[in-house]
Amino acid sequence: MDTGFTRRQIIGGSARLGLALAVGVPLLQACGDDSKSSSGKVTESIKDGLKPEAGPLRVFDYDSYINPDVISSFEDKYGVKVEVTTFTSDDEAISKLASGAVDVDLHHSAATNSLFKLVDSGLIMPLNKTYLTNIGNVAAPLRDPYYDKGGTYTVPYTIFGTGIGFRADRVDPAGVNWETLWNPAYKGSASVLDDYREGLSMAMLRKGLTDVNTTDPAVIKKAGEDLSELTNLMNIKVEIEGYHTIPEGATTVAHTWSGDMLTALQYLPEGTTSDVLGYWQPEPAVINNDCMCVMTKAKNPVLAHLFIDHLIDKDNALTNFTFVGYQPAIEGIDSQYLIDQNLVPENLRTSVMTNDQIAQGYRFLQLSTDVEALWQDAWSKFTAGG
Amino acid sequence: MANAAGAAPGGHRNAFWGFLSLPGVAWLAALFVVPFYAVAAVAFGKIDPILRTADPVWNPAQWDFSAMNRVIDRVLDPNDLGKTFLRTFAYVGGALALCCLIGYPVAYFVARHAGPKRGLFLALLVLPFWISYLMRMLAWVNLLQPDGYVNRIIGWLHLPGEHNWLNGDWPAVVLGLTYGYIPFFILPLYAALERLDKRLIEAGRDLGASPSRVFRHVTLPLSVPGLLAASVITVLPMFGDYYTNGFLTSGSPRTEMIGNQIEFYLRGTSQPQTGASLVLILSAMLLVLMAYYLVVTVRAQRAVAT
């Protein structure tokens, strides 16, 4: 048991990410066109052909979300130091960046829902892709993402879906679906992700409602009530710890991110094989990804670009995957490739998202403030035991 | 002239003592009044339209009370935040009761009967402060988890009661709160008991009262101010606790405390006004407890004076 925010809890934060852009898409598209935010803050990309700065490169990131070996190889390559400042949630990151409490060059793990805020407040700059020689490695469905048309401001980092992680030695894999979380046979050993968008949308998907960005108060309220059933029926836990509680055996079924089950491989107790792990997600599933972006006030913008480029090098991405556990957004690093490399067992093939799943997945969009409050209050009522 | 001459030195003395209070006043202003006002400015303020972070309104004439009104409605709803408040009060009350049951005898023993080893016992009481609260809670997680030492010992001894202690049950939270905060209870209580006038106790014994009767009619009433002070010091942080239940019940909604809701709204949502309003409501409730403590303390001082 650890207390600190590990690379899974990262994703806890980054899953707070959820909410992307119904409102924000048009704004981002506008920004993508001329690099001018709706608030009028113009940001410009750096010029071509600049030399890397002396550093140190200051990276803002979740704890343990980059393999130290990958950082070291960048330091060796460019003869600079990399300093990582950490945050624990996307909201905290935005708050610190906006207030100037942290002064960094690269925001390594922006949530797609945050981009609207980062762009519109002029905090991040458009990327100069002449420095991104590996940009062609990015997974095809994310080269022109809905949240950042043309990839103007961001390069995707990791991809993950949302489903159910389970103990295959206790649950029949063929019978796993959302109802499994409501099955009293697993009372006391089931959990729901501690993320209001993920939790409520899961309750909606269970009922066949696929609008995971609904603005209907009745639907939102009903989803909250359905979750509240779990409190006593299942003695449900609300957490983001499935990546270690499932392999350790404390949890039998958990609402999890796909990457959690890949990370779970690192937490298997001695003598326990990976066969005990399983993952299911609906088709289509909720899909998310984290993004890398360069700060407008970066003192080392060239280095920041080069660091992004370093991370999307295929070999580095693979090295990174062995530490981070989440699937890199790199074309060709798919389930078959990872299985062939003995990095993912066959029974967890479903934990690696295919391009079709990425392209067709449900995405959380940015909600209006009023609707967002409905979602948050419904979640609050559930977690309050109401 | 005599009066004036006599008043002057007293006036200087008052000014001197007043001057000495300035650092304390400045400390309170900087670290209590200003932050508290900032919380109010957030609770009755606005939201940044882009970043959706708090946009405090400092001018009370411009305060918007709509968020507070919504929160009050939810707090009054027994199926919503009302349940969380009641649960929080129940947990804190239970933990305080355990602190009294465990802490009073310990404080009494150290204050009255530890003799020359008093220093050693005091050091042992302070020892938990050397380890961070989170580390101590984590230690309990390791002890209480299904394959932890508590269940192993139960198994080795072939005793009934092997149990998943971390499965979202209230006793784990109450015990966790008690364990975490009991040093805060014992130390001020020890200080109060140690200062008890022994002559009063001896007088009771000389008048023929049994030891238990002396305790009930002399020692216990005299230690009420100390008990109240220890209780106040203990329960105030307990009410705001949001990590003990998180550690010991894995985030079960059945053990959610009001601190968890405050954290959720302040750190994880675009409604910081709701979180700040909850802080104000909780503070108002605690203010009632504080007022009771002050009234009792003042009465006790007057009783001693007369």
Side-chain angles (χ1 to χ4, degrees), chain A residues 50-80:
Chain A
L50 299 175
K51 288 183 178 175
E53 300 86 358
L57 174 66
R58 300 157 311 157
V59 177
F60 199 38
D61 198 6
Y62 291 105
D63 186 29
S64 304
Y65 204 27
I66 308 174
N67 189 334
D69 292 342
V70 174
I71 293 177
S72 296
S73 62
F74 180 82
E75 290 177 329
D76 294 343
K77 184 175 180 180
Y78 292 100
V80 295

Side-chain angles (χ1 to χ4, degrees), chain B residues 121-134:
Chain B
F121 284 113
L122 280 175
L124 290 173
L125 287 175
V126 175
L127 206 58
F129 290 116
W130 294 6
I131 305 167
S132 87
Y133 187 89
L134 292 182

